[in-house]
Every structure is written in structure tokens, then in C-alpha cells.
């Protein structure tokens, strides 16, 4: 067996760090954005107040994971950063502008009186556009980015494809499911009942979307088809779809039985398995189909220098995240505003 070099271990460590940061962002900000997507459909204005108040203490800190993932990608894999950015300028700019606009709407909605409905719409549109743009970036990334001499050689609209747009639409539904199950946990009464109903329908659409993407993806790149449908990989990787089916059934039962915490946990687990399936499909390519993590990595000296800072930064972010959610873990029943 070939010996793993010190540089390879460093690169794998950074793959884990960046992957973990992106995954934490998807989970932490996913339900947050999902609440914004569900926002205009809530039964009453008081319910909308309650929905926002469930995330008021933690929403802004959730996006720290996005900053961490982006900074880690820039530092540890500069080639990937240099290729992905020009390939997806438009959806990434839409995402960032929408996140900023959404944050402004979040702050000003509680202070506005006559013009509150405009901030309501801004909060919804910011959440919707940011989520859709993230899904488009994901879909464009999966389908592959043309690279020559470590440079992007595609056009400005490379990201504009049926698969990428479909991923954008499905991520909107997925985040809405996370938002609905979060609200099941954090609310009571008619609003919680409404969230149960929304979660049932959203779960069915999410499962259909996951199945469609899983069947569509192997046709995009031959390497992905070989990874999943060749022997003995079909047997070795079969636990992923099997466990996904079990989790889907458990989620349906949890919603049907009126469980409060389990639907949110199981929804996050479904996202986790989807993330695992994506990693299995693309590994070891950081920029499919040609650039591997080893080719995109920065020099070992750079990785070591930045890793020292990460050993302090990641535990701090994790600690604050756990503390915030533990302190504000109770039910939200009133309109207390956000200050």
C-alpha cells in the first residue's frame, strides 16, 4: 500500500474542514432560509412574527459557516477558488446580494410600521433568491466545469442549464422542509399544525427531487456512473440509498405521529446523506471532472500556517453555536421583537 505523505494528510484535513464548514452552513442557514421561503404563506401576521422570532437570536451567526468555508477554500485550494468564482459569478453575486438584502429586511421589519409589508416581501424574496442561487451553483458544480491550464474556459452562462436550474428549485423545497420541521420543534398551536401539513407535502417533493437528481447525475459524467453502477461498488455503496429510504420512512412517521424534535433531526439526516452521496460521486475531484483535491491544494507551508488558526477558530464557532441553540431551545409563543 502506498504510503500517505504529510502533504496528502494536510490536504485531506483541509478537505474535511471546508466540507464540514459548507455542510454546517447548509444545515444552520438552511432552516433559516427555509423559514423565509415559507414566510408569506403563514396563516397570520402574528404567525409570521413568531416564525422570525424563532431564529432572531441565531440567524446572523449561522452565516459564519459560509464565511469559514469560503475563506478555507481560498486559502487551502486557491485554484478551485480561482476557477469556481468566474464560472459562477452571476449566481454567486445573486446569492450574496440576496443574503444582504434579506438581513436588512430582517432588521427593519420589526421597526417598520406602515411599510412592514414591503420588508415582509423583501425577506421572502431574499430567502428565495439566495436559496435558488445556491442550488444553481451546486448543480453547475456537479455537472462539471471546463478547465484548461488551471483556468476556467467556459462562458458567462455556463451555469445556466436544466440540471442546475432543477437543483436550484429542489434546494428551495429542501430548505423549506428544514424550515417547516424547525418550526414544528419551536412553535405550538395552529402555527405548529400548519407546519405539520406543510412538512408532509414538502417531504414528498424533496424525496422525488433527490431521486431525480440521483438518476440524472450519472448521465452527466461517466465517472459518476461507473462509481455507483459498477461491481463491487453497487454492493459497497448500497447502504447509502437503503439508509436514505429508512430515514424517509422514519421522517414520515415522525410527522404523522406528531413528534416535535424528530422531524427536524431526521430532515437534517436526509441532507447529510445527500451530502455524503455527493462526496462519493465526485471524490477525489474538487472541480469535476478534471481537477483533483491534490492538484488544487496550496503549498503545505500555507496549509500548516492556516491550520494553526483553524484549531482555535472552529472550536470557538462550534461552542458559540451549541451555546446559542441550547439557550434558546424553548418554544416561541409570542411576538417579542428583535433588538
Amino acid at each position: 500500500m502506498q504510503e500517505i505523505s504529510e502533504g496528502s494528510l494536510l490536504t485531506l484535513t483541509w478537505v474535511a474542514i471546508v466540507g464540514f464548514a459548507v455542510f454546517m452552513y447548509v444545515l444552520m442557514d438552511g432552516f433559516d432560509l427555509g423559514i423565509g421561503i415559507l414566510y408569506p404563506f403563514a396563516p397570520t401576521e402574528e404567525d409570521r412574527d413568531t416564525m422570525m422570532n424563532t431564529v432572531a437570536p441565531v440567524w446572523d451567526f449561522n452565516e459564519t459557516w459560509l464565511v469559514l468555508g469560503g475563506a478555507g477554500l481560498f486559502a487551502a485550494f486557491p485554484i478551485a477558488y480561482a476557477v469556481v468564482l468566474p464560472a459562477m459569478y452571476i449566481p454567486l453575486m445573486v446569492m450574496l446580494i440576496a443574503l444582504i438584502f434579506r438581513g436588512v429586511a430582517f432588521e427593519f421589519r420589526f421597526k417598520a410600521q406602515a411599510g412592514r409589508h414591503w420588508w415582509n416581501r423583501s425577506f421572502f424574496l431574499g430567502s428565495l433568491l439566495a436559496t435558488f442561487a445556491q442550488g444553481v451553483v451546486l448543480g453547475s458544480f456537479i455537472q462539471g466545469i471546463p478547465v484548461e491550464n488551471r483556468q476556467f474556459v467556459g462562458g458567462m452562462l455556463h451555469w445556466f442549464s436544466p440540471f442546475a436550474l432543477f437543483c436550484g428549485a429542489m434546494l428551495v423545497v429542501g430548505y423549506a422542509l428544514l424550515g417547516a420541521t424547525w418550526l414544528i420543534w419551536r412553535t405550538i398551536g395552529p402555527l405548529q399544525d400548519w407546519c405539520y401539513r406543510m412538512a408532509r407535502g414538502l417531504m414528498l417533493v424533496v424525496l422525488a427531487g433527490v431521486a431525480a437528481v440521483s438518476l440524472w447525475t450519472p448521465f452527466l459524467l461517466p465517472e459518476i456512473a461507473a462509481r455507483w453502477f459498477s461491481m463491487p461498488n453497487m454492493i459497497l455503496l448500497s447502504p447509502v440509498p437503503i439508509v436514505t429510504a429508512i430515514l424517509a420512512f422514519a421522517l414520515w412517521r415522525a410527522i404523522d405521529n406528531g413528534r416535535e424534535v424528530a422531524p427536524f433531526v431526521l430532515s437534517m439526516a436526509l441532507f447529510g446523506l445527500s451530502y455524503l452521496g455527493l462526496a462519493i460521486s465526485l471524490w477525489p475531484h474538487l472541480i469535476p471532472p478534471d481537477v483533483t483535491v491534490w492538484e488544487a491544494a496550496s503549498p503545505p507551508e500555507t496549509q500548516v500556517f492556516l491550520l494553526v488558526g483553524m484549531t482555535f477558530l472552529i472550536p470557538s464557532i462550534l461552542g458559540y453555536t451549541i451555546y446559542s441553540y441550547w439557550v434558546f431551545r424553548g418554544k416561541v409563543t409570542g411576538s417579542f421583537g428583535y433588538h
Side-chain angles (χ1 to χ4, degrees):
M1 181 179 295
Q2 185 177 1
E3 185 179 354
I4 299 178
S5 67
E6 181 179 350
S8 297
L9 285 175
L10 280 171
T11 300
L12 289 175
T13 301
W14 274 104
V15 168
I17 290 173
V18 174
F20 177 71
V22 172
F23 180 62
M24 287 297 293
Y25 171 76
V26 169
L27 292 186
M28 297 293 99
D29 211 35
F31 72 81
D32 191 348
L33 290 166
I35 289 173
I37 294 167
L38 294 172
Y39 191 74
F41 309 105
T44 66
E45 186 67 16
E46 183 179 357
D47 289 335
R48 284 186 277 275
D49 287 339
T50 302
M51 291 167 69
M52 294 192 80
N53 287 330
T54 62
V55 293
V58 296
W59 75 274
D60 50 351
F61 199 78
N62 291 339
E63 293 171 2
T64 306
W65 293 106
L66 178 63
V67 177
L68 180 66
L73 185 68
F74 175 73
F77 304 101
I79 294 175
Y81 197 90
V83 169
V84 171
L85 219 61
M88 305 179 192
Y89 267 137
I90 294 178
L92 286 175
M93 287 301 298
V94 169
M95 181 192 75
L96 293 175
I97 293 171
L99 287 174
I100 293 171
F101 201 63
R102 175 180 177 273
V104 173
F106 195 106
E107 297 284 353
F108 277 85
R109 179 190 176 275
F110 286 113
K111 299 174 176 62
Q113 298 299 326
R116 175 174 283 198
H117 63 284
W118 291 110
W119 296 115
N120 286 344
R121 292 169 185 170
S122 299
F123 182 65
F124 164 67
L125 288 175
S127 302
L128 180 67
L129 289 175
T131 303
F132 182 74
Q134 289 177 20
V136 168
V137 169
L138 174 64
S140 181
F141 177 78
I142 294 173
Q143 71 185 7
I145 301 175
V147 178
E148 289 183 9
N149 298 321
R150 298 187 172 189
Q151 294 182 346
F152 171 63
V153 294
M156 182 178 293
L157 297 180
H158 167 75
W159 54 271
F160 192 82
S161 68
F163 180 76
L165 297 177
F166 180 78
C167 288
M170 287 301 100
L171 192 62
V172 169
V173 181
Y175 279 5
L177 175 63
L178 284 176
T181 53
W182 165 265
L183 291 171
I184 287 173
W185 175 25
R186 299 302 306 278
T187 62
I188 60 174
L191 177 58
Q192 187 187 56
D193 295 336
W194 176 77
C195 291
Y196 275 118
R197 294 193 298 271
M198 293 296 294
R200 287 189 184 93
L202 290 168
M203 191 199 79
L204 294 176
V205 179
V206 166
L207 292 177
V210 169
V213 170
S214 300
L215 294 174
W216 196 340
T217 302
F219 291 98
L220 299 175
L221 296 173
E223 295 85 353
I224 297 178
R227 179 70 52 85
W228 286 95
F229 299 118
S230 62
M231 295 298 290
N233 287 358
M234 286 186 66
I235 297 175
L236 296 175
L237 299 178
S238 61
V240 176
I242 292 173
V243 174
T244 300
I246 293 172
L247 284 176
F249 177 76
L251 176 57
W252 179 265
R253 293 291 297 165
I255 295 172
D256 204 43
N257 292 334
R259 302 281 296 277
E260 294 189 341
V261 179
F264 182 59
V265 174
L266 291 169
S267 296
M268 290 194 298
L270 279 177
F271 267 79
L273 277 176
S274 299
Y275 196 74
L276 175 62
L278 175 64
I280 292 173
S281 297
L282 300 181
W283 180 259
H285 295 99
L286 192 62
I287 308 174
D290 298 317
V291 181
T292 67
V293 294
W294 324 110
E295 295 168 336
S298 59
E301 295 80 8
T302 302
Q303 296 183 45
V304 171
F305 177 76
L306 295 167
L307 193 60
V308 174
M310 285 295 179
T311 57
F312 297 97
L313 186 60
I314 292 179
S316 300
I317 298 175
L318 271 176
Y320 183 82
T321 301
I322 295 170
Y323 171 78
S324 299
Y325 284 92
W326 177 258
V327 170
F328 298 103
R329 68 188 183 280
K331 295 286 187 180
V332 177
T333 58
S335 176
F336 53 83
Y338 175 60
H339 305 282

